[in-house]
C-alpha cells in the first residue's frame, strides 16, 4: 500500500478564526465566499439527491404508483434545475472563488463586494426556486420547451418562479465571471505571465468568457418566455416559433455543459501531476485546447436539436462541429494519461477520484461522439441512453472532479486532513454506485425506454434493469453520506495538515492552511508555472530547462530511472 | 401478435432502420477500442509507476509536441471516417427525394395519444378521412411518407425498429419515411417530454400484408355500424354518447359526432374503436372491463388526461361500454 506524503507541520495560522453569523453574512473575503458557495452547493446537492432517490424509487418497478405523474415531473424539473444551477455550478464557483486569487498570488478578487453580491444572487435564486413549492413547482422540465412551458399548458406559477430564479442566478454568475476575468487579467502576481498560470486558473479564466457569452442567451429567452406567459406575447406560441426557444436555450445550454466541466478539468489538471510527482504533460496543449473548446462550445449547440427536422446541411454542419470538439477534449484526456507515464504515483483519495474521473469521463465522451454520429442520435436521443451519457459526463466527470478537489483542497481550506479511512470506502461506494445507476441506462435506452417518463410498461428486462439502477442509487447515496460524515468529523478532529501536505507546486500551497486574510505574507519568486518546485529544487528549476518540450528534464533522470526498474 | 423486441434499436425490421444499427455497432466498436486503450494505459501506468517508497522525484517530463500532433491526427482520422459514414447513412435512411408529395399518412401528436390519418383513403360518404388512434396500420414492403405534426405541444414520434425518430412540432409538418419488411406489431413511444402523461403516449405500428392492409382500410373507411335492433343497452349507449356530449371531442362517423371541427379533434376518433387493441395511449388493453374503468373515471386511470369525468352511473357505464364494443 502507498501512503500519502507525511504532512509537514509548520507554524501556521490558527485553525479556525472566530466567526459568527453576521461575519458570514457580511464577508467579502474570496475564501469565505468560496466556502459559502461550496456549502450552498452541497446543501442543494443534498436536496437534488433526495429528489432523485424518490424518483428512482418510483422507477424501481414497472407501473409503480409511489408518485403521481405530475409530482414526478415536478421532481425531475427541480432535480435538473437544482443539480445544474444550485449544486454543480455553485460548487465550481466555490472552488474558483477560493482558489483563483490564491493560485495567481492575488490578495482577493478585483471587486470583493461584487463577489459577495454574486453569491447572494445565487443563494436568493435558490430560495426563489424553492418558494415555488408554495404555488405549485415548475413541471415543464429544466429545459422548459415551449409551448409546454407556456401558460396554456403550464398554468401554475411554478414556471414563472423558475424563470425568475434562473434570471437571478444567471446574473450572479455573470457578475462573478466578469470579476474573475478582471482579477485574472489585472491582479496576477509579478512574474506570472498567462503561460505560467496554473491550469485550474487557466480554465476558470477561459470559462468565465463562456459564461459571459452564454448566459445572456438564457436571460433573453427567459424574458421572452415571461413576455409570452405574463403579457400574452407570441414569441414561442400562437404563431410564434416553438423551435426558437430551443435555439436560445441550447445556445446557452450547450456551453453550459462546458461551463460545468472546464473547472472540473482544471481540478483534475492540478491533482494528477501532484500525485504523479510530475508536471502536467503538454501544459500548452492542455491550456490551449481550452480556448478551442470555448469557441467550439457555441458552434455545436444544435446537436441537441437533431430531431426537430432541420435541413440536411444544417444537421451535417452541427454533426461535424460536434465531432471536431472531440479533438481538443481528447487532447486533455491523453495528456492526463501521459502525465502518469513514468510518474511516482500515489493513490490517495483525491487521486482515486481523479482516476475514476478519467475513466468515466472518457466513457461519457465516447457516447457523446456516438450522438454526433447523427443517425444514432435519431435513434437514441431523448431515451435513457442520453440520461446515461450526460450523467457520465456531469456526474462521473464533474462531480468526481469536485470530490477529488474537495479531498485535495480540504486541508488548505480547513487546516486539517480528511480521513483516508473514511475516504476510501466512500470512494468505492460512490464509484460502484454511480456506475451501477448509469451503466445499465445505456441498455435501457437501446431497449426503447424514453426519458422523463414517470412509469413504464412491464416489457422484458425493463423492470430488472431499473431495479438495479435504483438499488445502486442508494449505494451511491450512502457513499455520499459517508463523505459528509468524513467532512464533519475531520473538520473537528482531523490530522493537522500544515501548509503543503501534498507537497504541491502551485502558489496556493505557499501560504498557511487556512490562508490569512490577504492570502500571502510573502510570495515566492515566480519564474515558471511551478514556483514551489523551483524553490524546493534549486539545482533543477523549471525555468532553467533549455527547451521545455524536450523529452525530459535534466537532473533527476539518472537516479530515478533506476528506482523504477526494480 | 409478435412479442416485442427486447433490444429494438438493435433489432431493426426495416431497411430504413437497419443502417442505423450497423452504424451503432461500428461506432460503439471504435468507441470501446478507444476506451479500452485509454483505461488500459491508465491502469497499466498506475500499476507500473505506483510509488514504491523510493525517495526523490521521478523524471520531470514536460510534454512532447510531436506526440500531441500524432494523437490529434489519429483522432481526426477516426472522426473523418465516422463523419463519412454518418453522411452516407443519413442519405440512406432519410432520402430527401420525393418528400414533397402527398404523404401516405399524417400522424398528429396530442396530449397524450397519437392520431393517424390516411389522407388518400377518403370514405365513401365523404365524411373526413380514415383516422385512428394509438394504433397505426401500414402495408409491408413499401416506403411510406409520413407527415408528423402536433395539435398542442412538441411530441416525438419513435418506432425504433422501423425508422428514425422525428419531432412532432405544432405548426410544422416534419416528414420522414417509414417501412416495415414483415407483418408484425412494432412498439412506439413519444420520446419528447410533453406533459403529465408523457409516459403513456405509447403506440403500436401494425404492419400488414398489402392485401390485409387494404381490407383494413376499407373497413375503417366505412361509417360506424348502426346499433343492432332489439339490443336496448347498445341502443341506449348510442343515445347516451350523443346526449352526454362525447361528440364534443370525439368523432364517431355514423352518428353525427364530429369532434371539435375547428381545433382538429381533441380526443381520438372512435368510429372503429373496438378494432383497436389498446386504449388511452397504451395505459390499458381494450377490454370491456378496462373500458368501463376508463369511462367511470378517466382521471383515475390516467391523471391529467384531457377527458373529463362524466360521473356516469353503473347503468350508463354498461350501456356505453356495450355500444362502443360493437364498433368494429
Ligand atoms: C452531479 C449530479 C447530477 C446532475 C448534474 C444531474 C443532472 C440531471 C439533469 C440535468 C437531468 C435532466 C432532467 C430533465 O431532463 O428533465 C437529470 C435527470 C435525472 N437524473 Fe440526474 N443529476 C445528477 C445526479 C443524479 C443522481 C445522483 C441520480 C440518481 C442516483 C440522478 C438520476 C436522474 C434521473 C433518474 C433523471 C431523470 C431522467 C429523465 O429525465 O427521465 N441524477 N439529472
Ligand atoms: Cu408526447
Amino acid at each position: 500500500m502507498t501512503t500519502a506524503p507525511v504532512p509537514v507541520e509548520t507554524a501556521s495560522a490558527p485553525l479556525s478564526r472566530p466567526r459568527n453569523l453576521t461575519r458570514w453574512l457580511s464577508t467579502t473575503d474570496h475564501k469565505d465566499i468560496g466556502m459559502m458557495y461550496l456549502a450552498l452547493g452541497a446543501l442543494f446537492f443534498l436536496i437534488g439527491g433526495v429528489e432523485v432517490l424518490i424518483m428512482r424509487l418510483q422507477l424501481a418497478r414497472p407501473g409503480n404508483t409511489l408518485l403521481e405523474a405530475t409530482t414526478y415531473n415536478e421532481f425531475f424539473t427541480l432535480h435538473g434545475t437544482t443539480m445544474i444551477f444550485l449544486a454543480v455550478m455553485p460548487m465550481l464557483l466555490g472552488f474558483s472563488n477560493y482558489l483563483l486569487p490564491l493560485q495567481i498570488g492575488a490578495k482577493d478578487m478585483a471587486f470583493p463586494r461584487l463577489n459577495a453580491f454574486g453569491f447572494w444572487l445565487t443563494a436568493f435564486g435558490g430560495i426563489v426556486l424553492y418558494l415555488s413549492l408554495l404555488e405549485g413547482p415548475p413541471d415543464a422540465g429544466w429545459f422548459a420547451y415551449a409551448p409546454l412551458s407556456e401558460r396554456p399548458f403550464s398554468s401554475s406559477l411554478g414556471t414563472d418562479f423558475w424563470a425568475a430564479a434562473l434570471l437571478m442566478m444567471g446574473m450572479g454568475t455573470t457578475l462573478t465571471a466578469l470579476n474573475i476575468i478582471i482579477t485574472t487579467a489585472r491582479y496576477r502576481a509579478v512574474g506570472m505571465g498567462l503561460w505560467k498560470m496554473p491550469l485550474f486558473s487557466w480554465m476558470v479564466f477561459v470559462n468565465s468568457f463562456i459564461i459571459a457569452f452564454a448566459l445572456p442567451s438564457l436571460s433573453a429567452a427567459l424574458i421572452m418566455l415571461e413576455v409570452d406567459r405574463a403579457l400574452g406575447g407570441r414569441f414561442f406560441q400562437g404563431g410564434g416559433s416553438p423551435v426558437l426557444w430551443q435555439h436560445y436555450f441550447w445556445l446557452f445550454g450547450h456551453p453550459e455543459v462546458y461551463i460545468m466541466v472546464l473547472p472540473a478539468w482544471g481540478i483534475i489538471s492540478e491533482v494528477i501531476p501532484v500525485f504523479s510527482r510530475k508536471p502536467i504533460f503538454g501544459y500548452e496543449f492542455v491550456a490551449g485546447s481550452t480556448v478551442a473548446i470555448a469557441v467550439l462550445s457555441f458552434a455545436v449547440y444544435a446537436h441537441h436539436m437533431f430531431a426537430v427536422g432541420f435541413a440536411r446541411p444544417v444537421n451535417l454542419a452541427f454533426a461535424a462541429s460536434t465531432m471536431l470538439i472531440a479533438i481538443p477534449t481528447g487532447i486533455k484526456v491523453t495528456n492526463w494519461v501521459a502525465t502518469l507515464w513514468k510518474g511516482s504515483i500515489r493513490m490517495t483519495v483525491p487521486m482515486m477520484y481523479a482516476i475514476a474521473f478519467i475513466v468515466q469521463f472518457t466513457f461519457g465522451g465516447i457516447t457523446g461522439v456516438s450522438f454526433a454520429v447523427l443517425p444514432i442520435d435519431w435513434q437514441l436521443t431523448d431515451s435513457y441512453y442520453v440520461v446515461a451519457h450526460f450523467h457520465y459526463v456531469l456526474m462521473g466527470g464533474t462531480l468526481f472532479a469536485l470530490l477529488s478537489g474537495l479531498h485535495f483542497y480540504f486541508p488548505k481550506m480547513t487546516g486539517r486532513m480528511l480521513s483516508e479511512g473514511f475516504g476510501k470506502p466512500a470512494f468505492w461506494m460512490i464509484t460502484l454506485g454511480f456506475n451501477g445507476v448509469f451503466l445499465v441506462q445505456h441498455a435501457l435506452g437501446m431497449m426503447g425506454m424514453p426519458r422523463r417518463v414517470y412509469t413504464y410498461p412491464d416489457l422484458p428486462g425493463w423492470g430488472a434493469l431499473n431495479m438495479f439502477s435504483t438499488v445502486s442509487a442508494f449505494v451511491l447515496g450512502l457513499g455520499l453520506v459517508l463523505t459528509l460524515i468524513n467532512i464533519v468529523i475531520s473538520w473537528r478532529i482531523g490530522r493537522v495538515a500544515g501548509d503543503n501536505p501534498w507537497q504541491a507546486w502551485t502558489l496556493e500551497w505557499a501560504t498557511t492552511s487556512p490562508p490569512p486574510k490577504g492570502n500571502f505574507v510573502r510570495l515566492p519568486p515566480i519564474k515558471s508555472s511551478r514556483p514551489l518546485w523551483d524553490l524546493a529544487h534549486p539545482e533543477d528549476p523549471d525555468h532553467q530547462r533549455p527547451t521545455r518540450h524536450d523529452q525530459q528534464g535534466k537532473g533527476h533522470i539518472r537516479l530515478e530511472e533506476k528506482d523504477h526498474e526494480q | 401478435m409478435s412479442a416485442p423486441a427486447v433490444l429494438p434499436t438493435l433489432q431493426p425490421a426495416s431497411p430504413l432502420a437497419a443502417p442505423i444499427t450497423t452504424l451503432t455497432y461500428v461506432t460503439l466498436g471504435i468507441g470501446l477500442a478507444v476506451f479500452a486503450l485509454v483505461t488500459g494505459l491508465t491502469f497499466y501506468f498506475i500499476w507500473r509507476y505506483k510509488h514504491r517508497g523510493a525517495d526523490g522525484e521521478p523524471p520531470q517530463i514536460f510534454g512532447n509536441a510531436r506526440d500531441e500532433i500524432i494523437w490529434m491526427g489519429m483522432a481526426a482520422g477516426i472522426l473523418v471516417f465516422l463523419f463519412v459514414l454518418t453522411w452516407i447513412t443519413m442519405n440512406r435512411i432519410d432520402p430527401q427525394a420525393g418528400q414533397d408529395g402527398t404523404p401516405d399518412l399524417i400522424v398528429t401528436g396530442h396530449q397524450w395519444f397519437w392520431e393517424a390519418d390516411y389522407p388518400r383513403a377518403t370514405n365513401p360518404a365523404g365524411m373526413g378521412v380514415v383516422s385512428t388512434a394509438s394504433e397505426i396500420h401500414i402495408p409491408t414492403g413499401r416506403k411510406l411518407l409520413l407527415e408528423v405534426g402536433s395539435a398542442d405541444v412538441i411530441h416525438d414520434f419513435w418506432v425504433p425498429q422501423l425508422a428514425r425518430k422525428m419531432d412532432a412540432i405544432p405548426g410544422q409538418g416534419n416528414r420522414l419515411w417509414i417501412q416495415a419488411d414483415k407483418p408484425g406489431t412494432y412498439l412506439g413511444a413519444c420520446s419528447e417530454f410533453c406533459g403529465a402523461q408523457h409516459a403513456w403516449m405509447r403506440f403500436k405500428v401494425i404492419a400488414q400484408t398489402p392485401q390485409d392492409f387494404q381490407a383494413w382500410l376499407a373497413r375503417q373507411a366505412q361509417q360506424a355500424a348502426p346499433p343492432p335492433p332489439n339490443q336496448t343497452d347498445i341502443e341506449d349507449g348510442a343515445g347516451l354518447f350523443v346526449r352526454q356530449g362525447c361528440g364534443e371531442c370525439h368523432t364517431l362517423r355514423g352518428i353525427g359526432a364530429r369532434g371539435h371541427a375547428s381545433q382538429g379533434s381533441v380526443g381520438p376518433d372512435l368510429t372503429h374503436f373496438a378494432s383497436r387493441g389498446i386504449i388511452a395511449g397504451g395505459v390499458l388493453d381494450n377490454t370491456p372491463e378496462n373500458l368501463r374503468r376508463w369511462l367511470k373515471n378517466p382521471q383515475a386511470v390516467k391523471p391529467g388526461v384531457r377527458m373529463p369525468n362524466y360521473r356516469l352511473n353503473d347503468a350508463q357505464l354498461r350501456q356505453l361500454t356495450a355500444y362502443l364494443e360493437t364498433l368494429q
Side-chain angles (χ1 to χ4, degrees), chain A residues 141-164:
Chain A
W142 81 277
F143 43 90
Y145 274 14
L148 185 62
S149 55
E150 297 279 10
R151 180 123 294 157
F153 302 104
S154 171
S155 54
S156 82
L157 284 179
T159 301
D160 305 294
F161 275 83
W162 174 87

Side-chain angles (χ1 to χ4, degrees), chain A residues 390-538:
Chain A
F390 76 69
H391 280 94
Y392 262 83
V393 173
L394 286 184
M395 189 159 190
T398 309
L399 185 76
F400 273 68
L402 281 167
L403 285 166
S404 175
L406 176 77
H407 287 79
F408 187 53
Y409 284 114
F410 188 84
K412 180 52 60 185
M413 294 177 177
T414 65
R416 293 187 186 273
M417 307 295 289
L418 277 175
S419 150
E420 299 244 317
F422 274 105
K424 287 192 173 160
F427 166 84
W428 285 111
M429 283 160 79
I430 291 173
T431 306
L432 294 177
F434 163 78
N435 287 285
V437 175
F438 294 109
L439 198 60
V440 294
Q441 292 185 1
H442 294 99
L444 280 170
M446 294 185 151
M447 293 162 91
M449 181 159 160
R451 69 198 282 209
R452 300 161 185 154
V453 290
Y454 75 99
T455 191
Y456 51 89
D458 191 6
L459 292 168
W462 288 34
L465 290 185
N466 273 295
M467 177 59 86
F468 184 81
S469 192
T470 298
V471 172
S472 305
F474 280 85
V475 175
L476 169 58
L478 228 55
L480 288 167
V481 170
L482 198 59
T483 306
L484 202 63
I485 295 175
N486 191 4
I487 292 173
V488 172
I489 295 183
S490 299
W491 203 330
R492 292 167 160 244
I493 58 169
R495 198 149 46 89
V496 175
D499 295 354
N500 190 0
W502 313 113
Q503 286 146 21
W505 301 298
T506 37
L507 279 187
E508 69 269 31
W509 303 101
T511 181
T512 54
S513 308
K517 197 159 172 57
N519 292 346
F520 297 94
V521 182
R522 209 160 52 85
L523 279 172
I526 300 160
K527 296 191 177 142
S528 74
S529 61
R530 298 196 300 170
L532 300 199
W533 167 277
D534 298 344
L535 214 59
H537 297 270

Side-chain angles (χ1 to χ4, degrees), chain B residues 262-275:
Chain B
S262 59
Q263 301 177 9
S265 49
V266 172
D269 185 316
L270 298 178
T271 309
H272 296 279
F273 170 78
S275 70

Side-chain angles (χ1 to χ4, degrees), chain A residues 2 68-70 73 76 139-141 143 145-148 153 242-243 246 276-283 285 306-309 312 315-316 319-320 323-324 326-327 331 333-335 337-338 340-347 355 358-359 362-363 366 369-370 372-383 385 443 445-457 459-460 462 505 530 533 537 540 542 545 548-553 556-557 560-561 563-566, chain B residues 4-10 17 19-21 23-25 27-28 30-32 34-39 41-43 45-52 54-69 71-72 75-76 79-80 82-87 89-96 111-112 151-154 156 158-170 172 174 187 189-200 202 282 301-304 306:
Chain A
T2 55
E68 299 230 328
T70 322
N73 297 342
F76 82 64
D139 59 359
F143 43 90
Y145 274 14
L148 185 62
F153 302 104
V243 177
Q246 296 185 27
S276 309
R277 311 304 308 155
K278 282 179 61 207
I280 186 95
F281 194 92
Y283 172 95
F285 285 89
F306 281 152
V308 303
R312 179 62 37 90
N315 274 336
L316 276 171
M323 290 183 180
L324 208 58
I327 295 179
I331 282 290
V333 174
T334 44
N335 281 300
V337 175
L340 301 170
W341 177 57
K342 295 200 172 174
S344 172
I345 297 170
R346 267 89 164 166
M347 287 310 268
I355 299 297
I358 294 186
V359 174
T362 304
F363 199 83
I366 286 168
V369 172
S370 75
V373 177
L374 207 145
I376 299 183
D377 184 275
W378 280 348
Q379 188 66 275
L380 290 172
T381 184
D382 278 319
S383 77
Y385 189 89
M446 294 185 151
M447 293 162 91
M449 181 159 160
R451 69 198 282 209
R452 300 161 185 154
V453 290
Y454 75 99
T455 191
Y456 51 89
L459 292 168
W462 288 34
W505 301 298
R530 298 196 300 170
W533 167 277
H537 297 270
D540 181 29
D542 282 358
R545 286 168 217 276
R548 296 197 32 196
H549 283 151
D550 252 5
Q551 286 286 345
Q552 352 219 280
H556 290 89
I557 287 187
E560 299 299 329
E561 291 250 271
D563 287 338
H564 288 278
E565 300 310 338
Q566 57 197 319
Chain B
V6 175
L7 267 170
T9 59
L10 300 180
I20 308 187
T21 304
L23 191 61
T24 306
Y25 282 126
T27 309
L28 291 188
I30 293 175
L32 286 179
V34 172
F35 179 71
L37 188 71
V38 172
T39 41
L41 276 178
T42 304
F43 288 122
F45 288 162
I46 290 173
W47 168 80
R48 174 74 177 72
Y49 299 114
K50 203 159 175 176
H51 176 64
R52 294 200 167 84
D55 290 333
E57 305 284 17
Q60 300 297 297
I61 304 166
F62 283 83
N64 183 320
R66 202 198 58 214
D67 291 355
E68 307 269 358
I69 289 168
W71 294 330
M72 273 194 262
L79 293 170
V80 168
L82 285 178
F83 182 76
V84 172
L85 286 190
T86 298
W87 194 338
T89 310
M90 281 166 79
N91 287 329
R92 280 182 62 195
I93 64 178
D94 190 36
Q96 304 288 286
Q111 280 182 324
W112 292 274
D152 37 49
V153 301
I154 299 179
D156 183 289
W158 188 30
V159 196
Q161 289 181 279
L162 299 187
R164 59 163 296 190
K165 71 171 42 135
M166 180 62 96
D167 281 352
I169 300 172
Q172 176 176 332
N174 280 336
L187 297 185
C190 174
S191 187
E192 181 65 83
F193 178 62
C194 56
Q197 287 293 346
H198 168 52
W200 290 116
R202 307 188 67 84
V301 177
K302 193 171 173 180
R306 304 252 176 255

